[in-house]
Amino acid sequence: KTVARFTSSTRGRERRFPLGLVAVLLIGVLSLGIAGRQSIVRAAPELASLYAAIGFPVNLRGLEFQNIRTRQEIQDGITVLAIEGEVENIVSRAVELPRVRLSVLGENGVEIYSWTALLPRSILYPHERVQFKSRLASPPAAGKEIMVRFLTRGDLTGGFH
């Protein structure tokens, strides 16, 4: 019976996988993916939710909603839902303001009704804020919450975004 043993000369011929190099390359790719996330999401918008899930949200518009408040009022015997808030420019360049899209959501976040509102200005300069208000007469009784976001091209063409 013959048994082959590894000798020092045999071990020297084994190829080792350069784990250090792989780690450096992986860190480099991840760093580029995080630093360049704006460009990546611009090219593949569906990746925005992935970035947000790992704690790196992407805001391509440069605008954020602030201080959103809702209340119900009675005007002339009719229930009116009032939504107020602010839009802030969070970047250091002027930004064109799109319409605001408001939605009444029912059970499980299903949209029941939606409408749009114009902001009082068309351009917001760096770090400025503008207030907005919108009202909905006779809101759906099944409504549980309100979603406020910007109108997208997909909203206009009937697509989902």
Side-chain angles (χ1 to χ4, degrees):
K1 195 170 179 180
T2 308
V3 177
R5 297 200 193 283
F6 286 104
T7 64
S8 60
S9 62
T10 307
R11 282 191 199 129
R13 287 185 228 139
E14 290 177 24
R15 300 221 176 193
R16 292 195 177 232
F17 201 63
L19 291 179
L21 178 61
V22 171
V24 168
L25 287 174
L26 184 59
I27 289 170
V29 168
L30 288 174
S31 296
L32 286 174
I34 291 170
R37 66 186 181 272
Q38 299 263 346
S39 299
I40 292 170
V41 169
R42 210 173 263 113
E46 61 277 3
L47 293 177
S49 58
L50 175 66
Y51 277 107
I54 61 171
F56 293 100
V58 177
N59 183 333
L60 295 178
R61 289 189 190 272
L63 300 169
E64 281 186 358
F65 288 103
Q66 305 283 337
N67 306 316
I68 304 293
R69 299 169 305 283
T70 62
R71 67 178 184 280
Q72 286 195 355
E73 306 169 343
I74 303 294
Q75 292 182 346
D76 299 325
I78 297 172
T79 301
V80 175
L81 177 63
I83 300 106
E84 298 178 3
E86 299 172 325
V87 174
E88 181 180 5
N89 178 346
I90 60 168
V91 294
S92 57
R93 60 178 164 76
V95 177
E96 189 173 333
L97 293 171
R99 284 179 171 253
V100 174
R101 186 176 192 279
L102 303 108
S103 305
V104 176
L105 305 179
E107 288 293 324
N108 302 320
V110 175
E111 185 175 280
I112 299 171
Y113 184 79
S114 70
W115 72 103
T116 64
L118 279 173
L119 292 167
R121 294 176 48 192
S122 60
I123 294 178
L124 203 56
Y125 293 97
H127 310 292
E128 283 188 326
R129 288 181 181 216
V130 65
Q131 292 187 344
F132 71 91
K133 296 178 184 179
S134 185
R135 297 187 175 332
L136 175 63
S138 302
K144 302 292 181 199
E145 58 185 329
I146 300 295
M147 179 172 52
V148 180
R149 64 177 177 83
F150 294 109
L151 191 68
T152 66
R153 194 171 300 146
D155 295 324
L156 300 173
T157 61
F160 294 96
H161 284 265

